[in-house]
Amino acid sequence: MAAPEGPLVIGVDSSTQSTKVLVVDTATGAVVARGQAPHVVTAEHDSDPEQWWSALVEAVEQCGPVARQAAAISVAGQQHGLVALGAEGRPVRNALLWNDTRSAPQRDRLIEELGGPGVWAERTGSVPAPSFTVTKWAWLRENEPEAAAATRAVRLPHDYLTGRLTGQGVTGGTTDRGDASGSGWWSSDTESYDEAILSHVGLDPALLPRVVASGEAAGTVASGLPLPEGILVAGGTGDNMAGALGLGLGPGRPVLSLGTSGTVYTVSERRATDASGIVAGFADARDDWLPLACTLNCTQAVDRFAALLGLDREAVEPGGSAVVLPFLDGERTPDLPYASGLVHGLRHGTTRGQLLQAAYDGAVFALLRALDLVLDDTADTSEPILLIGGGARGTAWRETVRRLSGRPVKVPVADELVALGAAAQAAGLLIGRDPAAVARDWETTAGSSHGAVERDDDALARLDATLHDADALLRQR
């Protein structure tokens, strides 16, 4: 390995399924070491936060001695998860993850009780989905009151790991504006916690972490870790915000991320307030905004269809009239938390490959419907969609996006963009630069370009009509 040209930093991506760690040269963006360790997620979509910490330590150790040369570290984590800590700083129960929709009844009540969708959008930037942390806290208080009463600190996943790195207890935690904006109790209007919402759900603001400013350190690494003691710990952020940093994203450039969840987002200089609930008006990890739409059912849902059909995930075939709405775990976009998967339009001539292609179409359709709402009127609609996430490597995913969007697509070569964005945040803190500018210097969007093709309006019309006609069925509990 060639000697690094600049100081080394560590970027951490603590996702639903695993923790990934990159050791990165700040001067070039070159990844000099990497590690990865898995998480266990229950059938109820919860997870033990202590195993995230064990996975982080294991992944750092896999990087070898080079990790001990790092000068700064930052953690990006899955958004929305509720980590409730007791007096000793240990979880009082497993964390409720973003894709756990059992708080849908509490979400419905909260929206109604606090003035309706428009009020929520104006105050917090978003109409809360059942994935949002505020709905999970309401569920916990209602269904597990002993656990709620024992809680002495409430954290998001990245907050919890940052606190473990710095050795901060339940009274000294930090978060950032990006991840906080997905909680449902942080106001994008005032850029502070909304005490009226917190009072309504019975959460003491003292249990929440301090929101650090962009470019501000959360602390330094505590002793006893496989890292240099005393190195800087950046504020960290949510995974989508870190992905935007990893791309060095500027205003108006669309991103479509294909992973366990699917997301479309862009950076904007305008605060979003979409009362329809399709677009979440998140803050980014800097001083701008990150309007975003998210689906719960993406690569895993399509892989499940492939497994049921006995096909390789790339074994798609064109043609046919089948429509698949792959809402296997309920859905967030469109807002159908009680939905299950739906197959419509089967004929004698329908092949397994056509049915698999219909599953891809259904997953991508939900994301593309939201894209026009994510992008404001200043965006250039001919700009290529940046396609990232695990699905971006798949031909069937890429071609489905091209066919249903009618737009050019670019697939960056850089992988692990969330961890890379966390590394850019750590580098920015270390050298005193804008982390997005650091990532642009690293040329993280370099990759393969794929031109626009004619949009498949027939497939879009079938999907739109099926979604409309099946609305009552999809809303049944």
Side-chain angles (χ1 to χ4, degrees):
M1 181 185 71
E5 298 179 23
L8 300 178
V9 293
I10 293 175
V12 179
D13 170 14
S14 181
S15 67
T16 313
Q17 303 293 332
S18 67
T19 292
K20 308 173 188 72
V21 167
L22 301 181
V23 182
V24 179
D25 181 350
T26 60
T28 64
V31 176
V32 301
R34 65 182 70 215
Q36 180 172 348
H39 302 164
V40 175
V41 179
T42 73
E44 290 77 29
H45 301 295
D46 61 26
S47 185
D48 181 2
E50 293 197 349
Q51 70 166 323
W52 307 340
W53 175 247
S54 298
L56 189 157
V57 171
E58 180 182 342
V60 168
E61 289 175 338
Q62 289 174 15
C63 294
V66 72
R68 294 192 174 272
Q69 301 173 29
I73 185 171
S74 179
V75 177
Q78 54 181 306
Q79 287 187 250
H80 306 308
L82 174 67
V83 183
L85 303 177
E88 302 303 317
R90 298 177 65 88
V92 301
R93 71 168 329 276
N94 279 355
L96 299 170
L97 302 186
W98 61 273
N99 54 353
D100 180 347
T101 60
R102 65 184 127 172
S103 63
Q106 288 74 27
R107 185 282 307 267
D108 292 346
R109 288 204 299 271
L110 286 176
I111 291 175
E112 181 179 355
E113 289 167 355
L114 289 177
V119 172
W120 277 91
E122 189 56 41
R123 289 172 68 165
T124 71
S126 304
V127 181
S131 57
F132 277 42
T133 328
V134 67
T135 72
K136 299 181 186 307
W137 175 254
W139 181 92
L140 189 70
R141 290 189 72 224
E142 184 174 328
N143 291 276
E144 298 179 8
E146 299 86 358
T151 299
R152 296 295 176 268
V154 171
R155 301 290 183 260
L156 299 166
H158 109 261
D159 308 340
Y160 170 76
L161 292 171
T162 298
R164 292 292 298 263
L165 282 171
T166 59
Q168 295 167 338
V170 295
T171 60
T174 63
T175 191
D176 88 302
R177 69 192 288 272
D179 214 2
S181 68
S183 65
W185 52 54
W186 184 86
S187 169
S188 66
D189 183 31
T190 65
E191 298 214 29
S192 62
Y193 291 127
D194 189 314
E195 295 199 8
I197 291 175
L198 291 171
S199 175
H200 187 80
V201 297
L203 181 57
D204 184 347
L207 303 188
L208 297 175
R210 180 175 67 90
V211 181
V212 300
S214 175
E216 180 184 353
T220 58
V221 167
S223 61
L225 302 178
L227 290 165
E229 183 179 351
I231 68 170
L232 289 171
V233 180
T237 194
D239 52 1
N240 290 301
M241 295 78 194
L245 284 184
L247 291 164
L249 203 63
R253 192 159 195 192
V255 177
L256 198 157
S257 177
L258 299 166
T260 305
S261 65
T263 55
V264 287
Y265 60 83
T266 191
V267 167
S268 176
E269 296 174 346
R270 302 179 186 176
R271 183 176 77 97
T273 56
D274 176 20
S276 76
I278 295 173
V279 177
F282 295 147
D284 74 352
R286 299 162 59 246
D287 299 309
D288 287 323
W289 304 95
L290 196 76
L292 177 149
C294 176
T295 63
L296 299 183
N297 298 275
C298 195
T299 57
Q300 282 190 344
V302 173
D303 284 351
R304 182 59 182 151
F305 265 91
L308 288 170
L309 294 166
L311 294 174
D312 180 90
R313 62 170 64 107
E314 293 288 341
V316 296
E317 297 176 21
S321 60
V323 173
V324 172
L325 301 177
F327 305 153
L328 304 187
D329 291 315
E331 190 45 79
R332 170 170 163 177
T333 304
D335 182 17
L336 297 166
Y338 308 109
S340 57
L342 183 146
V343 179
H344 176 67
L346 294 181
R347 302 291 184 185
H348 280 291
T350 303
T351 68
R352 291 185 299 159
Q354 289 171 344
L355 194 57
L356 180 58
Q357 179 61 71
Y360 277 97
D361 286 2
V364 170
F365 168 71
L367 290 166
L368 293 179
R369 286 180 88 221
L371 186 59
D372 286 341
L373 293 174
V374 165
L375 297 171
D376 63 31
D377 55 13
T378 66
D380 181 356
T381 57
S382 66
E383 183 80 22
I385 295 173
L386 288 171
L387 198 62
I388 65 171
R393 308 297 178 210
T395 301
W397 280 110
R398 185 189 70 226
E399 294 308 303
T400 302
V401 172
R402 292 176 72 205
R403 181 173 55 82
L404 294 185
S405 71
R407 293 179 64 151
V409 166
K410 188 172 186 181
V411 183
V413 171
D415 59 0
E416 308 301 353
L417 282 161
V418 172
L420 202 57
Q425 189 185 53
L429 174 66
L430 183 66
I431 63 179
R433 290 194 64 203
D434 175 0
V438 170
R440 286 193 288 271
D441 286 349
W442 293 349
E443 297 183 347
T444 54
T445 61
S448 60
S449 295
H450 308 270
V453 298
E454 184 178 358
R455 192 173 67 181
D456 189 345
D457 289 328
D458 289 342
L460 293 170
R462 286 196 301 272
L463 282 155
D464 190 64
T466 302
L467 181 63
H468 177 271
D469 292 346
D471 184 73
L473 182 63
L474 293 168
R475 293 185 185 279
Q476 289 182 5
R477 301 193 185 193

